[in-house]
Amino acid sequence: ASLNAIGEVLAAAGEDRNALDYFLRASESLKDGRAAPDAPPDLAARILLSIGRTLLRRGEAENAAGYLELALEEADRTDNPVIESLSSVSLATVAKLRGDLPAALRCLDRALAASGRCAQPQVHVEVLLARAEHRADAGEYGEAVATLGTEPLDPAFIGE
């Protein structure tokens, strides 16, 4: 768990390369059965999400996808809506980079459903913003505005 924590600090400081090294070492520790007995049950999901998001920030979307999918599986297994939401948002970004906006929107719908079960409102806000951005990228401006829960703009202004 401490390797993952060091990685999180490094990632927050913008040191993605160093953070990735710590996340990968933390993942190897789990695989080797060297996790602390008091490690949280969702530690694997957290580490996999951290690896995936770091790779995504580094522009390695295809490598990130595998880790994010594993994080999503672990989130399901441990019933962690925060990891489910954040993994789904990141997978939506991967889908968008692949040019698959329908898949991105499906990921965001899943993220939105999971974020509704989160006790952390910032996760829900992150999901809503990502969903609005992806809707706008798909040319669905009315849906983007509706996602944010605001009043629709004049259709002439948004081009509908």
Side-chain angles (χ1 to χ4, degrees):
S2 62
L3 290 172
N4 192 51
I6 293 169
E8 290 295 336
V9 169
L10 289 168
E15 295 287 332
D16 284 340
R17 191 179 70 171
N18 292 328
L20 185 59
D21 291 340
Y22 277 93
F23 295 141
L24 291 170
R25 287 173 49 198
S27 177
E28 287 303 315
S29 292
L30 279 181
K31 286 180 188 174
D32 294 344
R34 292 181 280 144
D38 61 342
D42 65 351
L43 182 59
R46 292 181 196 187
I47 292 169
L48 291 165
L49 174 64
S50 296
I51 293 170
R53 290 180 89 171
T54 301
L55 288 169
L56 194 55
R57 280 192 307 274
R58 291 178 55 169
E60 299 178 38
E62 292 306 317
N63 289 336
Y67 287 100
L68 294 167
E69 289 165 0
L70 290 171
L72 196 53
E73 289 174 17
E74 282 294 311
D76 285 342
R77 191 181 65 74
T78 59
D79 191 31
N80 186 321
V82 172
I83 301 293
E84 181 181 355
S85 295
L86 297 176
S87 297
S88 295
V89 167
S90 295
L91 283 167
T93 300
V94 171
K96 180 179 163 184
L97 290 170
R98 290 175 176 160
D100 191 349
L101 287 176
L105 293 171
R106 284 191 302 276
C107 289
L108 289 168
D109 288 342
R110 179 175 181 168
L112 187 60
S115 73
R117 301 187 330 264
C118 291
Q120 299 176 12
Q122 69 271 23
V123 171
H124 191 65
V125 170
E126 182 177 335
V127 170
L128 288 174
L129 291 173
R131 192 168 187 270
E133 177 186 337
H134 283 72
R135 288 283 183 192
D137 288 346
E140 300 172 359
Y141 303 108
E143 288 293 324
V145 171
T147 294
L148 297 174
T150 59
E151 291 297 317
L153 299 172
D154 178 351
F157 178 76
I158 59 175
E160 289 187 348

